[in-house]
Amino acid sequence: MSHALTPDAAPTPAPPLRLILVGAGGRGTTYATYAATTGRARIVAIAEPDVARATAARERHPGAEVFDDWRALAEQAPEADAVLITTQDAEHVEPAVRFAELGYHILLEKPMATSEEDARQISDAVAKAGVMLAVCHVLRYTPYTTGVKEIVDSGRLGDIVSVEHLEPVGWWHQAHSYVRGNWRREDQASPMLLAKSSHDLDWISYIIGAPVRKVSSFGSLMHFRPENRPAEAADNCLDCPVESTCPYSAKRLYLGCLGDADRERWPLNAVTEARTPDGIEQALREGPYGRCVYACDNDVVDHQVVNLEYEGGATASFTMTAFTPFTHRKTRIFGTLGSLDGDGVHATVTDFVTGREETLLLGVDGPDAGSGHGGGDERLVDAFLDALTSGDPVHILSDPVTSLESHLVAWAAERARRTDTVQALTN
């Protein structure tokens, strides 16, 4: 008797992962929208107190239940695999601890928290609950970083001796986010170094592959101060007779976003949902983003340098400055066998034996924050979804222990800056 062979039945596709979104601002929208568009996940619940943002989130994720407070959402504890927490910096600790206690895996926007005590509380809560946590240090996940890390780890440069790293914030980005915007004040957000450059301190440690042992730092709020205000300047750019010659003109910046899809997505979405000149001007008149940059209540630094010594003796210098074009980070890595000069997209490697230079295309071109951090946003979400699907945290490059270490470096640098000291870090 013969038996006909039948093909194996196609495997049943896994149902989409169920995600909760807490905080439907720019970062939360980016992560949640990408996760949903992959088909691997869907948003089942959203917590967002801002009515306009909540409405937009509901439209992007039909079927998701929307709450105006994360506590009410947590009280219901909907069936879900993980939560994306992308609230303001100072509002991370409470939801992170609570959702960990409820057993949800967590994707947490950086910085983890605005104090060492709160960051440790999150780390402890995650460990106690046995859930996975990925901190959004997106620079670890970019194709460029992968390429640089492979070059360093291959031994091609020999032993790493020193690193120079530049964070070019961009003159208008500083004005948007750190003078007029949500991260302008330490008491409402966090120090500039933590809010903007925890990415970079984390990145340098990741590339070098050793813990920081000593830190010193210098910097201040030098330019965006009342005493630098032109005599003729008005309180609002729309009324200002010198607006047309000011580098920080809100009118030029935000009206200039119209017709550019990327710039309408960011930074314009932080200002208004309007996409007309009249709507934008109304938002500049009524909201914080039309204010003269010399007449705001900002107090975070506009430039800072950090010097780092790593276990084993390698050193690094990091510069964060507002007074640059808005572009990719720049890095030079100096080893005993070769050096690397990188711009976030390309890396030129020089071999000290042959003298040969080789330029490699490693990254994705385009403006940094406006293009998903060079692919890092997408790859971070992919890694988190991979970890959820497999149950294996190996996919997460920015776990709470690793991330806490880079946060401790940032706080040490701030102590060093404020006290004019060298800070030592221990295990």
Side-chain angles (χ1 to χ4, degrees):
M1 178 183 294
S2 63
H3 297 278
L5 297 176
T6 57
D8 294 336
T12 303
L17 295 160
R18 300 156 301 174
L19 305 179
I20 295 168
L21 174 62
V22 175
R27 303 308 298 152
T29 296
T30 295
Y31 300 140
T33 301
Y34 176 74
T37 58
T38 66
R40 301 175 61 192
R42 61 188 178 93
I43 307 301
V44 298
I46 299 165
E48 173 54 58
D50 183 275
V51 174
R53 287 180 172 179
T55 300
R58 181 183 286 109
E59 292 173 355
R60 282 189 292 267
H61 305 287
E65 190 173 3
V66 179
F67 300 79
D68 62 5
D69 186 89
W70 69 263
R71 295 168 186 82
L73 190 158
E75 187 69 26
Q76 287 204 13
E79 290 288 331
D81 301 288
V83 58
L84 317 181
I85 300 176
T86 53
T87 53
Q88 288 297 304
D89 300 352
E91 299 166 6
H92 286 178
V93 61
E94 287 190 60
V97 170
R98 182 61 185 137
F99 283 104
E101 292 171 345
L102 291 171
Y104 295 98
H105 302 296
I106 301 171
L107 182 74
L108 179 63
E109 178 58 358
K110 64 85 190 167
M112 291 176 70
T114 57
S115 73
E116 180 177 337
E117 178 184 359
D118 286 351
R120 289 190 183 279
Q121 188 178 352
I122 292 171
S123 186
D124 291 345
V126 167
K128 182 177 179 181
V131 299
M132 293 184 288
L133 182 144
V135 180
C136 298
H137 287 299
V138 294
L139 293 188
R140 282 190 178 230
Y141 295 86
T142 67
Y144 173 78
T145 298
T146 299
V148 172
K149 181 68 170 169
E150 287 176 351
I151 291 168
V152 170
D153 289 352
S154 73
R156 185 173 176 181
L157 305 182
D159 295 329
I160 302 306
V161 177
S162 55
V163 175
E164 292 179 359
H165 186 72
L166 169 67
E167 158 67 294
V169 178
W171 81 98
W172 63 262
H173 183 200
Q174 181 82 20
H176 169 73
S177 294
Y178 306 102
V179 178
R180 298 178 173 120
N182 291 333
W183 294 273
R184 68 188 182 276
R185 292 186 60 87
E186 289 190 19
D187 61 350
Q188 297 176 7
S190 61
M192 180 76 178
L193 193 64
L194 195 64
K196 184 70 179 84
S197 301
S198 57
H199 277 322
D200 300 277
L201 298 177
D202 176 79
W203 189 88
I204 300 168
S205 291
Y206 179 58
I207 295 299
I208 290 178
V212 174
R213 288 293 172 250
K214 293 180 183 178
V215 184
S216 65
S217 184
F218 307 92
S220 66
L221 174 57
M222 183 173 176
H223 182 68
F224 299 101
R225 304 168 60 92
E227 56 265 37
N228 293 320
R229 176 176 175 166
E232 306 89 347
D235 288 342
N236 190 288
C237 287
L238 298 179
D239 305 320
C240 187
V242 297
E243 170 271 325
S244 65
T245 59
C246 178
Y248 309 104
S249 164
K251 185 176 179 180
R252 182 189 310 116
L253 170 58
Y254 299 115
L255 289 175
C257 293
L258 288 175
D260 184 325
D262 284 340
R263 296 184 71 199
E264 287 186 358
R265 181 176 66 85
W266 184 87
L268 186 58
N269 71 329
V271 178
T272 178
E273 293 297 324
R275 296 296 180 265
T276 65
D278 287 347
I280 293 172
E281 290 197 8
Q282 180 180 352
L284 297 182
R285 177 78 64 192
E286 298 175 354
Y289 289 95
R291 293 181 295 173
C292 174
V293 293
Y294 306 106
C296 294
D297 59 341
N298 57 301
D299 63 9
V300 298
V301 303
D302 54 22
H303 71 294
Q304 187 166 356
V305 295
V306 180
N307 297 312
L308 304 158
E309 183 178 80
Y310 291 81
E311 186 173 281
T315 57
S317 62
F318 167 65
T319 298
M320 180 283 300
T321 180
F323 307 101
T324 67
F326 179 63
T327 186
H328 294 286
R329 278 89 167 168
K330 315 293 184 187
T331 309
R332 302 176 73 190
I333 303 173
F334 306 99
T336 55
L337 298 179
S339 64
L340 181 150
D341 197 326
D343 63 4
V345 178
H346 300 90
T348 298
V349 178
T350 301
D351 186 304
F352 292 169
V353 174
T354 64
R356 178 171 174 261
E357 291 186 355
E358 180 182 12
T359 298
L360 305 167
L361 175 62
L362 302 179
V364 178
D365 208 352
D368 187 2
S371 62
H373 291 94
D377 290 353
E378 295 86 352
R379 290 178 61 159
L380 162 71
V381 174
D382 285 336
F384 185 61
L385 298 180
D386 289 342
L388 295 178
T389 301
S390 65
D392 190 344
V394 70
H395 300 282
I396 296 172
L397 303 179
S398 49
D399 59 85
V401 173
T402 300
S403 186
L404 178 60
E405 180 178 309
S406 65
H407 283 64
L408 295 177
V409 174
W411 283 311
E414 276 299 285
R415 291 195 300 273
R417 182 179 73 87
R418 293 176 184 277
T419 61
D420 196 22
T421 59
V422 176
Q423 295 285 309
L425 287 86
T426 58
N427 290 326

